[in-house]
Amino acid sequence: MEWTFCCWNNCCMLTVSPLSFSLAGPTGAQAAEFGHLPDNITVLEGESVVLRCKIDEEVTHKAWLNRSNILFTGTDKWSLDSRVSLVNNNNSDFSIKIERVMVADEGPYTCSFQAKNQPRTAHVYLIVQVPARIVNISQDKSVNEGDDVNFFCLAVGRPEPTVTWKDFKYGLMSEGEFLEITEIKRHQAEEFECITNNGVAPPDTRRVKVTVNYPPVITEVKNMPAQLGKTAILRCEAMAVPTASFEWYRDDRRPVESDNTLKIKNEKTRSLLLFTNVTEKHFGNYTCFASNRLGASNASMLLFRPGAVYGGVASLNGRLSGVGLWFCLSISVLMKV
């Protein structure tokens, strides 16, 4: 028989080899048998664990303790916790079971008994692990281009979990609870995923979305030839967040309105002027004006008869429509906002 005298956390303990721990136990519960005195036993929060004290000597008294609290003395239960129960109590096995293990159950446990008028003890430290879990995360955000954006993702778990941010569009990773984006650009409008992990269970993930607002930018302008009596289309496409509103103006600065030969069709990112029966009055310069609450943009284009000579070409930012039109339309948008 080996005797070992050791001190730990300012507490000295006497341990002997006749007691043993084992990791095999009843179905649904992790079991620990006192034997070679493992330093600790690990169990997940919510699971059950059996602490089995194997005895191979004649025993007169025996008890289970958690820190200085007595759990059982023989068959007498001292603990008021209904989750703690006596599994076996015979000449070779003195075992207890803790159901629905909680973090508060973590700590040292001692099996103590009296054999041949000699006190014997064996000790084990119960470690309770908790899967990583996200408990708080930023809401989706809508910001203007050029703003600074900050996201947070708070996680808990035992052991302490790591937190990583993932950029879905470019696959970039950032470590830590906080994600900072300085002077955000429109191409950075996307979803970001927060991933927390501590190796106890599969990672927990949550996503947040950032919307980047910016004023309209007209992306396509093209002069269009048209035959008398035929159909024709002028197109105006604009990228913007929020989506742009469209208006059309003629070279005499009158707003274009739909009639039986001309229709305006507005779609999500573009506006179309549909000429169903081109006449002389339709030829000329048209200005598309796209606006949202952040600003506006305009572009001019020609509907012309093939072979006709015009002094201008399609233009962005109101080159053909004139500075005066741009100023007037901009004031109009500001008044609407």
Side-chain angles (χ1 to χ4, degrees):
M1 177 183 297
E2 270 187 29
W3 295 75
T4 305
F5 189 76
C6 61
C7 291
W8 176 69
N9 281 357
N10 297 321
C11 176
C12 292
M13 304 178 296
L14 184 66
T15 61
V16 292
S17 58
L19 295 174
S20 64
F21 272 138
S22 148
L23 294 181
T27 303
Q30 181 174 336
E33 245 182 50
F34 289 54
H36 300 290
L37 300 177
D39 293 332
N40 56 62
I41 296 168
T42 301
V43 63
L44 282 180
E45 182 183 41
E47 293 185 347
S48 298
V49 64
V50 173
L51 303 181
R52 180 166 289 125
C53 187
K54 289 292 187 179
I55 304 167
D56 59 5
E57 296 188 16
E58 184 179 345
V59 173
T60 55
H61 299 88
K62 49 195 170 186
W64 269 104
L65 298 89
N66 173 217
R67 298 182 176 88
S68 59
N69 301 315
I70 299 175
L71 303 177
F72 277 92
T73 56
T75 58
D76 294 331
K77 183 177 181 180
W78 287 47
S79 172
L80 298 178
D81 193 335
S82 61
R83 300 175 302 117
V84 180
S85 60
L86 188 63
V87 177
N88 284 313
N89 180 30
N90 52 50
N91 292 333
S92 62
D93 189 355
F94 182 44
S95 305
I96 61 170
K97 181 179 181 180
I98 306 172
E99 299 182 275
R100 302 183 304 281
V101 171
M102 301 185 300
V103 172
D105 297 323
E106 183 168 296
Y109 287 80
T110 302
C111 176
S112 179
F113 70 97
Q114 187 89 3
K116 298 180 181 178
N117 295 322
Q118 294 286 342
R120 311 287 173 80
T121 58
H123 309 268
V124 68
Y125 196 92
L126 183 65
I127 296 174
V128 180
Q129 292 188 334
V130 181
R133 178 171 58 92
I134 296 171
V135 294
N136 198 3
I137 190 170
S138 298
Q139 299 293 318
D140 291 347
K141 292 189 177 184
S142 178
V143 299
N144 294 338
E145 188 172 36
D147 288 349
D148 294 338
V149 182
N150 296 284
F151 290 114
F152 68 86
C153 180
L154 306 181
V156 296
R158 296 168 63 98
E160 187 76 19
T162 60
V163 176
T164 304
W165 284 96
K166 181 180 178 181
D167 172 347
F168 271 97
K169 186 177 291 185
Y170 302 103
L172 303 177
M173 307 288 283
S174 176
E175 299 292 334
E177 296 177 335
F178 299 95
L179 176 64
E180 299 181 2
I181 305 173
T182 304
E183 297 182 355
I184 193 167
K185 302 297 187 293
R186 63 191 67 178
H187 68 267
Q188 293 175 294
E190 59 170 306
E191 281 190 327
F192 295 88
E193 185 175 52
C194 174
I195 307 167
T196 183
N197 188 24
N198 63 357
V200 174
D204 189 22
T205 62
R206 297 268 293 277
R207 295 184 183 184
V208 294
K209 182 179 180 180
V210 59
T211 300
V212 179
N213 304 305
Y214 57 93
V217 177
I218 295 178
T219 57
E220 183 179 347
V221 175
K222 186 178 181 181
N223 293 331
M224 182 62 61
Q227 300 283 351
L228 288 171
K230 302 295 185 179
T231 61
I233 299 176
L234 290 179
R235 295 178 176 84
C236 179
E237 297 202 17
M239 302 303 297
V241 179
T243 303
S245 298
F246 293 93
E247 292 181 285
W248 287 91
Y249 292 81
R250 275 295 302 267
D251 43 13
D252 56 5
R253 301 183 182 177
R254 289 181 305 172
V256 174
E257 296 181 359
S258 296
D259 58 30
N260 58 349
T261 62
L262 174 64
K263 292 183 180 180
I264 300 174
K265 183 179 180 181
N266 290 326
E267 300 176 347
K268 185 176 181 180
T269 62
R270 69 178 182 171
S271 181
L272 306 176
L273 274 184
L274 306 174
F275 301 87
T276 57
N277 182 18
V278 176
T279 64
E280 286 286 350
K281 72 174 184 178
H282 292 136
F283 294 124
N285 181 50
Y286 291 82
T287 298
C288 170
F289 187 76
S291 64
N292 65 10
R293 60 180 176 82
L294 296 177
S297 178
N298 71 66
S300 294
M301 60 203 82
L302 292 173
L303 183 73
F304 64 95
R305 184 185 302 168
V309 177
Y310 289 88
V313 294
S315 172
L316 292 174
N317 295 325
R319 183 178 174 185
L320 290 180
S321 57
V323 175
L325 175 61
W326 170 251
F327 177 77
C328 293
L329 296 182
S330 297
I331 293 296
S332 173
V333 170
L334 292 176
M335 291 179 66
K336 291 179 181 179
V337 174

